[in-house]
Amino acid sequence: ALTGTTNIVGNTAITGTLTCTGTTLGGGSNDNYFLAFRSGGNESPSAETWTAYTHNDTHVNNNSVYDTSSGEFTVPSGGAGRYFFHSQFWASQIDDGEIAQISIWDDTSGSFAATEAKTRTNYARSTGNGKGSNPQVSCILDLAVGDKVKTYVYVESGGIYANSQYNFFMGYKLA
């Protein structure tokens, strides 16, 4: 039986039953996570420009890492590491053939900038007037304490339907 603090390294063989309680496997903690959504209040962002999008409510927000007033995830003290993010929205009422885009930006260079997001952008095209589309994007980022991440949207016209089933931003630290 292993008691107290025990380090197992290399190719250590363990036979029998190993019980771990109060233990973090992988050498780190992944307790920084959130799932934010837009609760009411459809948005009509300016056409043909990237606009920061705020999801104003959360289903979960462990360690208060997501700010519902600014729309920003912030890496807390002791939380540096690799994170997974995913965001999507329902672009309602855009015209036939028009594009709605979504992107996940970070401020690791000191400010949020479009050039940082080029590999983290996706789009969807409407299939008919008023039918909309559902662009979504995911990414994995290496972040330092204090770094921020948020969703930006771009529509040629139309609005964004506020619905927690279609419109959300989530992230969590990978162990």
Side-chain angles (χ1 to χ4, degrees):
L2 302 175
T3 59
T5 301
T6 304
N7 294 318
I8 301 173
V9 296
N11 295 322
T12 304
I14 300 173
T15 57
T17 301
L18 175 63
T19 303
C20 298
T21 57
T23 302
T24 301
L25 302 176
S29 174
N30 61 346
D31 62 350
N32 298 322
Y33 55 86
F34 71 96
L35 174 55
F37 64 97
R38 183 82 185 183
S39 64
N42 294 346
E43 286 289 310
S44 296
S46 298
E48 299 184 7
T49 185
W50 284 102
T51 303
Y53 190 75
T54 300
H55 298 82
N56 63 355
D57 206 345
T58 59
H59 289 297
V60 294
N61 190 10
N62 201 51
N63 292 330
S64 300
V65 294
Y66 182 81
D67 184 336
T68 56
S69 61
S70 69
E72 297 173 353
F73 162 84
T74 303
V75 178
S77 177
R82 186 163 290 158
Y83 285 81
F84 172 83
F85 296 96
H86 178 82
S87 192
Q88 71 176 38
F89 73 95
W90 179 252
S92 60
Q93 304 167 353
I94 64 174
D95 292 334
D96 188 22
E98 288 192 344
I99 292 174
Q101 298 182 72
I102 189 167
S103 190
I104 296 174
W105 294 5
D106 66 64
D107 73 343
T108 57
S109 68
S111 64
F112 291 100
T115 55
E116 295 175 285
K118 293 302 182 189
T119 59
R120 292 175 260 160
T121 301
N122 200 358
Y123 75 95
R125 189 177 299 275
S126 177
T127 59
N129 288 344
K131 291 187 178 180
S133 61
N134 188 228
Q136 52 188 301
V137 65
S138 300
C139 67
I140 295 174
L141 300 172
D142 290 320
L143 300 172
V145 171
D147 286 347
K148 297 179 184 300
V149 178
K150 67 191 317 182
T151 296
Y152 278 75
V153 296
Y154 178 103
V155 294
E156 289 184 85
S157 71
I160 299 174
Y161 182 61
N163 183 304
S164 63
Q165 296 176 17
Y166 303 117
N167 189 325
F168 62 88
F169 180 33
M170 63 172 282
Y172 56 88
K173 186 175 180 187
L174 300 169

